[in-house]
Amino acid sequence: MIRDDRWTTVTPWFFPDELQAMEPIRQALPDDGLHRAWANFSFMSDTGHLHSVDLLVAGPGGLHLLELDTAPGLLRACEGIWLRTRGRNTKAADSVRATAETKARHLTAVLRHAAAGRFLSVPEVRGSAYLSDSREPVLLTGADARGVFGPDKPVEPSLPRVTSELLGQSAAVRADRPGRRLLRVLPALLDRAGMRPVEHWPRVGTWQLTAKPVSLTDRWQEFVAWSTVWDKAPCRVRVYAGGPTRAEADEAVLREYLLLRELDHPGIVTVDTLEHHPSGPVLMFHVEKKNLLRLDHILALHRERFTAASRAGMIRQIGEALAHAHAREIANGALSTRSVIGNSRPTKGEKVGDGWAEPVLQITDWAQAAAAPAGAPSPAMVARDLHGLAAVAQEICAGAPTDEFAGLPERLAVERDFTRLHPARQVRVLTGQLAANALAHAGDR
């Protein structure tokens, strides 16, 4: 741990570009006794997530958590998803600012719990993204640009400056300003809240995880992992939050594991093993290819490649997998484009990265199904799946009339012949109509 009066580096930076990105902030932080910063630490949230924090700054401007992004390339957003282009290559990722806001919300909670009974008022921690490489334009606008900052001396000044326009300003709302007493005891509060060094390359058994998760929800963090023993393709590792009681989390994930072992269908993700990690139980998913993407990322990156037939085919893949589950009295309960993953399907002569015109899709998140009572799913769960399938189809066919997709379950629900069908048959009927509507709007593309 490296300390000075204003700045504490809890864990030495692993990558040189991270250190270079933080050094200008460290030098610019006012030496007035009111500003303190902690860099590169981790903490356990009340939900059981183990979060890493790139930088926490406390001062008259409030409590600020910065999530560092050192990646180069032109940046734009599509429906909240960040698309970064470098040369001919474009990659999709969740908004760094959204990740920062999630961590900030969890850090606020643990700090307030640590301050309980001490007559301290802990303001809300604000999460922001810090893009340290500004050599190319950042084309974020509106809500996508909120809470995104760049260096104080940018090469391409397309972002507000992190120190002068964020950390160096006093908070406009008094409730956001930490009092002098809080600033004085904040180091002790962080220690009490469980601040610890970052484990740069965590492991689960013989598998090495990526330094940061590729996906984050309120219930789990998902990592890419490589075997340290065998020359295998990477797998996906989902580390579940331990929550208030680890025993309940273990039981819930065991139910999900057993459920996924039962749902043997090409449109449903295959689970390999159930493992354990200090922060919570772990499910490890079989991955045949490296270029696995969530469906919302696939749509943001490759929508222009889809034909009417490929859009209808994607809807059928998801619908057939959902019907398979309902035939076994299992409802998903939380179907969305975030809960579906896909691989490319290159034709002969195409590279693996070029086969996104007709992706292979699988439903991957069955947590709500595992949490539901045993037996046939309730009518509410069935209705939720029908609406989820229609909403996913609407996103696949963005631009088509909403009432022919998202509004279709309501129209079917008043038809007596439809309501008498088994839920699996209802899913198949809805799938057929959604796919037909996708084909009918071929001229709209």
Side-chain angles (χ1 to χ4, degrees):
M1 188 177 291
I2 305 170
R3 297 178 182 268
D4 64 27
D5 291 340
R6 298 169 299 130
W7 187 284
T8 300
T9 300
V10 179
T11 314
W13 294 102
F14 192 83
F15 297 105
D17 57 350
E18 295 174 333
L19 178 60
Q20 293 169 8
M22 288 300 179
E23 184 60 19
I25 300 178
R26 189 187 70 81
Q27 293 180 6
L29 200 68
D31 189 10
D32 55 6
L34 300 177
H35 288 81
R36 291 290 305 273
W38 292 263
N40 208 22
F41 67 91
S42 64
F43 71 96
M44 183 76 74
S45 71
D46 292 340
T47 61
H49 290 88
L50 183 61
H51 290 301
S52 63
V53 174
D54 293 325
L55 185 66
L56 174 67
V57 176
L63 302 179
H64 294 280
L65 183 151
L66 293 185
E67 182 80 359
L68 175 62
D69 184 345
T70 62
L74 184 146
L75 180 64
R76 56 191 172 89
C78 176
E79 299 178 358
I81 296 168
W82 282 15
L83 302 175
R84 181 171 270 113
T85 302
R86 191 178 186 190
R88 293 184 174 183
N89 188 27
T90 300
K91 294 184 177 181
D94 291 338
S95 163
V96 174
R97 188 210 65 237
T99 299
E101 289 176 342
T102 298
K103 293 180 180 182
R105 185 175 71 251
H106 289 180
L107 183 57
T108 300
V110 299
L111 286 175
R112 286 176 176 171
H113 286 169
R118 300 191 173 204
F119 302 100
L120 285 170
S121 176
V122 178
E124 185 176 352
V125 180
R126 285 183 56 191
S128 302
Y130 170 43
L131 310 188
S132 63
D133 191 319
S134 60
R135 288 173 293 180
E136 295 188 57
V138 176
L139 307 179
L140 302 178
T141 59
D144 292 316
R146 178 178 55 83
V148 181
F149 296 84
D152 280 9
K153 295 181 180 180
V155 177
E156 205 291 322
S158 57
L159 291 172
R161 304 183 178 194
V162 65
T163 302
S164 58
E165 297 183 53
L166 177 66
L167 306 179
Q169 300 291 326
S170 294
V173 180
R174 180 165 186 160
D176 291 337
R177 303 174 199 161
R180 287 179 175 267
R181 181 166 170 251
L182 176 63
L183 292 174
R184 189 168 59 250
V185 302
L186 190 54
L189 280 185
L190 285 167
D191 287 340
R192 189 177 181 188
M195 182 175 69
R196 66 187 78 177
V198 172
E199 187 179 1
H200 285 294
W201 300 101
R203 288 193 179 191
V204 172
T206 60
W207 291 85
Q208 185 88 60
L209 309 189
T210 49
K212 290 188 176 182
V214 295
S215 189
L216 168 67
T217 73
D218 287 338
R219 192 163 181 263
W220 43 258
Q221 295 168 300
E222 191 164 292
F223 299 82
V224 176
W226 288 264
S227 174
T228 59
V229 177
W230 306 105
D231 183 15
K232 291 183 177 181
C235 74
R236 285 294 177 107
V237 174
R238 189 171 291 173
V239 181
Y240 288 77
T245 60
R246 177 63 184 267
E248 290 181 5
D250 287 342
E251 183 179 346
V253 175
L254 175 60
R255 288 198 301 270
E256 188 171 357
Y257 171 76
L258 295 175
L259 180 148
L260 284 170
R261 300 290 287 185
E262 178 183 345
L263 292 175
D264 184 14
H265 188 274
I268 297 174
V269 70
T270 302
V271 63
D272 276 349
T273 57
L274 172 64
E275 300 283 350
H276 295 279
H277 187 269
S279 63
V282 174
L283 287 183
M284 307 187 75
F285 296 96
H286 176 67
V287 177
E288 292 185 357
K289 299 178 182 178
K290 295 181 180 180
N291 57 325
L292 188 72
L293 293 176
R294 269 194 346 237
L295 180 54
D296 55 341
H297 290 183
I298 294 172
L299 296 177
L301 283 169
H302 305 295
R303 188 187 298 277
E304 71 281 356
R305 302 188 184 194
F306 302 146
T307 64
S310 64
R311 290 192 295 272
M314 292 163 69
I315 293 169
R316 290 192 189 99
Q317 287 184 67
I318 299 169
E320 288 167 4
L322 195 61
H324 172 83
H326 278 274
R328 284 148 186 79
E329 309 293 347
I330 296 169
N332 179 275
L335 186 65
S336 72
T337 55
R338 289 182 61 93
S339 62
V340 177
I341 58 172
N343 271 311
S344 64
R345 180 160 46 185
T347 58
K348 187 175 181 180
E350 278 189 323
K351 297 179 181 178
V352 172
D354 295 332
W356 289 106
E358 296 183 354
V360 179
L361 303 179
Q362 293 180 310
I363 304 174
T364 182
D365 190 353
W366 293 86
Q368 290 294 325
S378 68
M381 285 282 282
V382 174
R384 200 178 304 165
D385 274 1
L386 296 176
H387 284 90
L389 178 59
V392 169
Q394 174 66 45
E395 290 191 49
I396 291 173
C397 301
T402 301
D403 62 341
E404 297 188 16
F405 291 90
L408 187 56
E410 283 83 359
R411 296 203 303 276
L412 291 174
V414 299
E415 297 181 8
R416 181 175 297 180
D417 289 344
F418 181 80
T419 57
R420 290 175 175 176
L421 296 175
H422 185 278
R425 182 60 183 156
Q426 290 182 352
V427 172
R428 290 191 173 96
V429 170
L430 175 62
T431 299
Q433 294 199 24
L434 292 170
N437 290 347
L439 288 170
H441 291 282
D444 296 344
R445 301 287 138 186

